[in-house]
């Protein structure tokens, strides 16, 4: 696309309309044509140096998940108390899918949720003494 500037009696106008350009030529107006840089180019497809740097990146970024030993301890403690996943979730004010994620090892550990689960099942899930009964201090 071209931007066409034409000057007629000290008045400058910008147009891309061919009819207006022809009219300006007829009256003898001064016409300047400027081509826009990269007009209509798709900027999403541009290649830059960051693309190569990202392709060369070898570090694997991911969140840690709940370990399988913690998952098994949650299942064991819940079943010993005779609770379903839904019952445990209700007691700790979470959705049943959260308990399912923790028991399957898909959840990203949240210390607040683990603390609530520990209190309800009466078993340590973190640190030294995993699987031991929760002691009173």
């Amino acid at each position: 696309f071209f931007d066409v500037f034409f000057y007629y009696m000290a008045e400058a106008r910008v147009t891309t309309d061919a009819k207006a350009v022809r009219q300006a030529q007829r009256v003898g107006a001064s016409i300047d044509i400027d081509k826009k840089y990269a007009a209509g180019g798709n900027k999403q497809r541009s290649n830059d140096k960051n693309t190569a740097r990202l392709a060369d990146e070898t570090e694997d970024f991911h969140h840690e998940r709940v370990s399988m030993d913690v998952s098994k301890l949650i299942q064991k403690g819940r079943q010993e108390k005779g609770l379903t996943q839904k019952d445990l979730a209700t007691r700790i004010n979470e959705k049943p899918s959260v308990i399912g994620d923790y028991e399957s090892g898909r959840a990203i550990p949240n210390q607040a949720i683990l603390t609530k689960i520990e209190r309800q099942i009466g078993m340590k899930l973190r640190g030294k003494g995993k699987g031991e009964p929760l002691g009173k201090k």
Side-chain angles (χ1 to χ4, degrees):
F1 292 105
F2 294 98
D3 275 342
V4 178
F5 298 92
F6 62 90
Y7 305 94
Y8 180 67
M9 297 178 69
E11 179 186 322
R13 293 194 308 185
V14 179
T15 185
T16 57
D17 184 28
K19 184 177 178 182
V21 173
R22 285 193 302 273
Q23 175 64 29
Q25 288 173 336
R26 270 192 296 258
V27 296
S30 171
I31 299 174
D32 290 331
I33 298 176
D34 292 329
K35 180 167 178 20
K36 290 183 180 177
Y37 174 74
N42 190 349
K43 298 295 181 193
Q44 295 174 349
R45 302 284 185 221
S46 67
N47 289 331
D48 57 359
K49 58 187 172 187
N50 288 335
T51 306
R53 226 178 4 213
L54 284 173
D56 294 339
E57 185 64 51
T58 58
E59 194 169 349
D60 186 24
F61 297 105
H62 67 281
H63 292 287
E64 292 297 321
R65 305 284 181 198
V66 175
S67 64
M68 287 310 289
D69 60 332
V70 172
S71 298
K72 298 296 180 195
L73 288 173
I74 293 172
Q75 280 181 342
K76 179 182 169 192
R78 177 179 59 79
Q79 290 169 352
E80 284 176 359
K81 294 280 185 174
L83 299 172
T84 63
Q85 287 183 351
K86 184 176 179 182
D87 293 337
L88 179 58
T90 304
R91 287 184 176 198
I92 66 169
N93 295 325
E94 295 291 340
K95 295 179 181 176
S97 62
V98 172
I99 301 301
D101 289 344
Y102 273 85
E103 288 187 359
S104 66
R106 290 187 308 255
I108 297 169
N110 180 333
Q111 298 305 313
I113 293 175
L114 285 172
T115 301
K116 291 191 281 186
I117 293 172
E118 282 178 338
R119 287 181 185 153
Q120 287 302 316
I121 64 176
M123 183 185 301
K124 287 187 73 170
L125 301 174
R126 301 169 287 176
K128 291 182 180 178
K130 275 187 190 178
E132 293 178 5
L134 209 55
K136 304 268 184 197
K137 290 185 178 179

